[in-house]
Amino acid sequence: MFSVAYRMLGSVSEAEDVVQEAFLRMHRAAESGTRADSPEAYATTVTTRLAIDALRSARHRREQYVGPWLPEPLLTSDDDPARRVEETETLSTAFLVVLETLSPVERAVFLLREVFGYGYDEIAAIVERTEANCRQLMTRARKHIEERRPRFEASRDRRDALARAFFAAVRDGDVAALEHLLAEEVVFHGDGGGKTAAVRRPLTGTLQVARFLANLGRTGAQLGVVMEPVTVNGQRGARVSAADGAVLGVLSLTIADGRVVGVHNQINPDKLHHLGPVGDLNALLGSR
C-alpha cells in the first residue's frame, strides 16, 4: 500500500496518511461485514483511489510551487517505510519527477500496469474506467514517459565507485575531478520550495554544474557540514547534515554510461522532517 501511495504522490508524509486512511476504511468495511475476495486487490483499490484524490488536491499547490519540485527523499538505509518498497528505477527521484507530468489517473494506470503488473480488467475496476479507456490512458502515458524516461547505469559496482568519487570531489571542491565525472548533458535540480536558498532553474552542462557543486563542497567544509553516503530512492546519494547532526538536505544521483547525468538536491525543510531533526540552512549560511 505504501509502495503504491508513495509512487503516486512522491511524498512520504502524504503516502503514510493515505495508507492510514485506507487501513481505517478497510477496517470499517470489515466490521460492517464486507468481505473482499482478494484482500491485496482490495487494499490496492482503496489506496489508489485515495492517492488519486490526494494528488488532485495537491495539483494546485504544485502548480504554485516556488522553483523545481522534487519528491520527498526515501532513504532505504533508514528504519522507514522504504524497507517495504521495491528498489527499482521507478522509485528514483528522476523517474518520480517525470511521473509528475501525467494526470492523476494516467499516473495510476501507468504504475498499476508497468510497476505492479495488474491486468487491464483489474485496473479498470480500480480506477473506475472502462478497460478500453485504461488501454488508451496507458498508451498515452507510456509514450509521454518514454520521451522523458531517465537512463540508468546497469552495473551496481560502477554506480558505487562513481558515487564515491563524485562525493569525494564535492567535499574537496575539485572542479577538474567533477568535470571528469559529469556527463556533458548533466542537469542539476534544487528544491528549496521558497523556504531556503536553492537554484530556481535547473543548471545544465559539465562546467557550470561542476563549478556549482565544488562551491557547495567548499562552503560545506567551512561550515562543518557532513555528507553521509545513503541510498536515495534506490539510487546513490548522500544525506547532508550540520555538525550537530540536524538534516540539511539530501543529494541523489542519476548515473548512466559511466557518468553522472543528473543531480537532485532536496533542501526544502518541509520535505525532510521524516528523516529526523531538520537544521536551519538559512541561519547556517548567514553565519559565514
Side-chain angles (χ1 to χ4, degrees), residues 17-198:
D17 288 344
V18 162
V19 171
Q20 183 177 23
E21 176 62 24
F23 268 121
L24 288 173
R25 293 193 181 192
M26 292 169 64
H27 180 68
R28 287 196 291 267
E31 285 188 327
S32 68
T34 301
R35 291 183 176 275
D37 293 335
S38 170
E40 180 181 345
Y42 184 50
T44 300
T45 298
V46 177
T47 302
T48 301
R49 290 177 183 175
L50 287 171
I52 288 173
D53 291 342
L55 193 55
R56 282 171 173 159
S57 67
R59 297 301 268 191
H60 179 70
R61 296 198 307 273
R62 294 186 184 182
E63 288 170 359
Q64 304 300 317
Y65 200 78
V66 178
W69 178 94
L70 296 177
E72 291 183 10
L74 205 54
L75 306 190
T76 53
S77 60
D78 293 341
D79 291 327
D80 63 20
R83 292 188 180 276
R84 304 192 297 274
V85 182
E86 303 84 355
E87 290 185 24
T88 70
E89 294 171 2
T90 63
L91 183 64
S92 73
T93 300
F95 192 77
L96 291 177
V97 170
V98 174
L99 287 180
E100 279 292 297
T101 61
L102 301 179
S103 72
V105 177
E106 284 178 339
R107 188 164 178 164
V109 171
F110 180 85
L111 289 171
L112 290 171
R113 180 66 178 173
E114 187 85 356
V115 179
F116 300 104
Y118 280 85
Y120 283 110
D121 56 335
E122 298 171 299
I123 296 171
I126 291 171
V127 301
E128 299 178 294
R129 300 291 182 92
T130 65
E131 187 173 335
N133 183 233
C134 288
R135 289 181 182 276
Q136 292 173 345
L137 290 169
M138 182 62 188
T139 298
R140 188 161 62 237
R142 182 179 282 139
K143 182 178 183 297
H144 198 75
I145 292 295
E146 290 305 324
E147 291 173 350
R148 300 163 176 78
R149 196 169 197 142
R151 295 176 292 119
F152 294 94
E153 176 63 59
S155 168
R156 180 182 293 272
D157 289 341
R158 290 179 69 184
R159 288 200 305 267
D160 291 347
L162 199 147
R164 285 193 297 270
F166 173 87
F167 287 114
V170 172
R171 280 191 293 268
D172 295 340
D174 190 335
V175 175
L178 285 166
E179 284 188 272
H180 178 70
L181 297 167
L182 299 174
E184 290 183 8
E185 70 276 17
V186 65
V187 182
F188 176 96
H189 294 85
D191 180 351
K195 304 295 179 66
T196 191

Side-chain angles (χ1 to χ4, degrees), residues 210-233:
R211 286 175 173 173
F212 182 80
L213 288 167
N215 185 58
L216 283 184
R218 287 190 290 265
T219 300
Q222 295 170 5
L223 298 173
V225 167
V226 176
M227 284 194 298
E228 173 195 357
V230 292
T231 300
V232 186
N233 290 69

